[in-house]
Amino acid sequence: MIRSGILTFVFFCILIAAGCGGTNNKDEAMDTQKLTNIENIAFDTQQTAPSAFRFTKFDMEVDYVDTLSYGIDYEHENQQTKAVIHEIGEERISGEEALDQLTPHFQEMSFDENTPEDEVIEEVLNILGLDQTFKEFKLEVVFSNGVNKEYES
């Protein structure tokens, strides 16, 4: 809603500015080009997602007995953000919907590159509300300072 309001505001500002100028066709073409550029500003949720987490990459897969699994692919790099939640037996969630679901959980996570592996695994499972009786746990995290850590159990 806010994004569309901003876009509408910018659109009207350009229209007003274009109306105040002369009737030079070159100016009108330039204003049209500016409007096109403004419409292409990164309002896509893949680009405007928060980067304030402790990490820039969070790639997790948890496998349970009977082939049930849960996975998260999150990456924020070069002002581009990708967020996908994989749930076997349920719909795959991606984009803004996935990011909306993950953001409060990621903000709650307090581990860093110095936290012991077992504490990281326990914290992640607890925060995400996942069952502790997994068959296999894999997590790759790239922290904001560039440190890459892998956790497995």
Side-chain angles (χ1 to χ4, degrees):
M1 209 183 220
I2 293 173
R3 290 185 210 137
S4 64
I6 292 170
L7 186 58
T8 303
F9 175 75
V10 171
F11 175 75
F12 283 116
C13 288
I14 288 174
L15 285 177
I16 291 170
C20 293
T23 58
N24 186 341
N25 286 340
K26 186 176 182 179
D27 289 340
E28 288 177 18
M30 187 179 232
D31 289 338
T32 302
Q33 181 62 37
K34 286 180 187 175
L35 180 59
T36 301
N37 288 342
I38 288 172
E39 289 173 350
N40 292 326
I41 289 177
F43 288 126
D44 179 31
T45 60
Q46 298 296 319
Q47 296 179 357
T48 59
S51 60
F53 305 131
R54 296 178 177 270
F55 41 81
T56 58
K57 181 177 182 177
F58 186 95
D59 188 7
M60 182 191 77
E61 184 176 323
V62 182
D63 292 321
Y64 293 95
V65 180
D66 299 330
T67 68
L68 295 175
S69 69
Y70 182 83
I72 294 175
D73 294 322
Y74 167 84
E75 190 166 359
H76 182 81
E77 185 175 60
N78 298 326
Q79 298 181 355
Q80 295 272 338
T81 299
K82 172 186 138 189
V84 180
I85 301 172
H86 304 275
E87 294 184 57
I88 301 301
E90 292 189 29
E91 185 176 311
R92 177 181 149 180
I93 303 167
S94 63
E96 186 174 342
E97 185 179 356
L99 190 60
D100 287 347
Q101 286 186 24
L102 293 173
T103 295
H105 299 299
F106 284 172
Q107 289 173 336
E108 192 177 339
M109 293 181 185
S110 62
F111 66 88
D112 62 21
E113 65 272 12
N114 298 316
T115 306
E117 183 174 52
D118 59 333
E119 289 179 26
V120 171
I121 294 170
E122 183 177 345
E123 179 178 335
V124 168
L125 291 173
N126 285 336
I127 289 173
L128 294 174
L130 297 174
D131 191 347
Q132 301 277 338
T133 60
F134 56 86
K135 183 171 69 174
E136 185 176 23
F137 179 96
K138 291 181 183 179
L139 172 63
E140 179 185 1
V141 177
V142 177
F143 292 93
S144 297
N145 62 6
V147 173
N148 186 346
K149 296 282 278 196
E150 292 186 15
Y151 307 94
E152 290 189 34
S153 180

